[in-house]
Amino acid sequence: MKPYSMQTEPFSNREGVLHAEEIPLPRLYRAVGPCYVYSRAALDRRVDAVLGSFGHRAQLIAYAVKANTNAHLLRHFQERGLGAEVVSATEIREAMRAGFAGVRMVCNGNGKSLEDLRAAIAADAAWINLDGAWELPRLEAEAARADCVFHVLLRVNPDLDASTHPYISTGLKTSKFGMDFEEAHRVVGDAHHYPHLRLEGLHVHLGSQIHEPGPIREAFTRVRDFGLSLEGPGFHFAALNLGGGFGVDYRGEIGDLDLESLAASLEDPGFWKGRTWILEPGRYLVADGGILLGEVLGVKRSHGRRFVICELGMNDLIRPALYEAYHSISPVSPREGAASPADVVGPICESGDFLAQDRELGPVEAGDLLAVRHAGAYGSAMASNYNGRLRLPEVWVEGDRAFITRRRETPEDLERLEGFEEVSW
Ligand code: LLP
């Protein structure tokens, strides 16, 4: 066993076989079967990149837990000094189990339940966002009940186009998130009715997959100026949360969002002095740290199309079906021969069950293994049991060692929830 080295190549082809760090993937597959594979080296590189560009600028870099809630990964990120951005009582619980302290926690959500609010109070979360005026009485009542105060950031919607997929765009006026400036203004005017709420800053998150600093910079200036104009009784501009959304290049064509230029574009020492700068990256930290590994069940041709039928389905990675997202797919042990178009599909009874369509792929046969890249973000986190499929195990690779951090689900896991208990109403 070799000591772990941060220099390890996360996923590399060695002598014709794809490896996760030091481990040949066919060996891992034989031991575990289909699974998500996370490379510690890849994850650490991303943490290094974010901390390198923002560690000395932003006071709180809160990892968006929704991107990947793997408990070991959370603990690792916590130990690396990140905070946690959470959107539900369960995410709060998971963050707490991973050791994240309340002072490093940001609670968001556009429809926080009372359970969520109580969990935020129990965790003593540093910040909570307010998505609209309607939440004011709810937050006030819960804080009063617990005899504490909420430090509130108003989530504003600047109606700014981040040029990303409509489903992952959140800063447009058509989006359900946040409030317009007029509403934020009214909220501040009403603040005196809510003695258990301290309105202490603003929150803006434009959406996901932003590839240029421009839109984030534009959101920053608009929201900064708006926040400064709000300062006064009822609003103390102590913190600004600029969200996440740092773009990742799934196709290997344009590169990831350049964090250094983003950081430079957000420089404003006069403004940031004495204020807390919060960021919430999710995908950027985890996407390329994970692959989805599975076997080809068979290949068929129909109407001249090549269908590669794979044991992995949309329930394991819903992004292609939901957003027509591109994920690079490669055979783990490529065969000799020319590439040709193929649809890589899963076994689920839905035509939308594909991992790739019309994709140039080398020759593959039943029993070959495929690696789906960038499955670290919104992969396992969005998995479901549709068609009776059991969620896949998650494997953490560190050098030449692999650890099952979440075992494969069993039918018994699902049956545990069933019953026929009479409701007393
Ligand atoms: N902060 C807030 C308030 C968010 O809503 C999100 C993501 C993030 C931070 C993190 O965004 P990121 O850095 O990961 O882009 N399931 C979609 C992405 C949905 C993102 C939801 N909110 C996908 O697979 O592309």
Side-chain angles (χ1 to χ4, degrees), residues 384-406:
S384 80
N385 294 115
Y386 187 38
N387 273 206
R389 288 169 51 86
L390 302 167
R391 260 172 268 218
L392 299 178
E394 296 173 54
V395 179
W396 177 271
V397 169
E398 209 168 283
D400 58 359
R401 306 183 71 188
F403 305 86
I404 294 182
T405 54
R406 190 177 196 273

Side-chain angles (χ1 to χ4, degrees), residues 64 66 85 108 155 168 203 205 208-209 244-246 280-283 319 323 378 382:
K66 62 176 85 67
E85 185 261 354
N108 290 331
R155 177 153 179 184
I168 53 176
H203 174 211
H205 169 77
S208 262
Q209 283 295 69
F246 304 172
E280 308 168 327
R283 181 192 323 266
R319 304 194 68 259
Y323 319 110
Y378 306 108
M382 293 178 83

Side-chain angles (χ1 to χ4, degrees), residues 62-64 66-67 85 87 108-109 129 155 167-168 170 177 203-205 207-210 241 243-247 250 279-286 318-319 322-323 325 327 377-379 382:
Y63 164 61
K66 62 176 85 67
E85 185 261 354
V87 293
N108 290 331
N129 87 348
R155 177 153 179 184
Y167 287 9
I168 53 176
T170 54
F177 296 101
H203 174 211
V204 62
H205 169 77
S208 262
Q209 283 295 69
I210 300 171
N241 181 347
F246 304 172
Y250 286 64
L279 291 169
E280 308 168 327
R283 181 192 323 266
Y284 189 92
L285 287 163
V286 291
I318 202 174
R319 304 194 68 259
L322 194 55
Y323 319 110
H327 283 260
Y378 306 108
M382 293 178 83

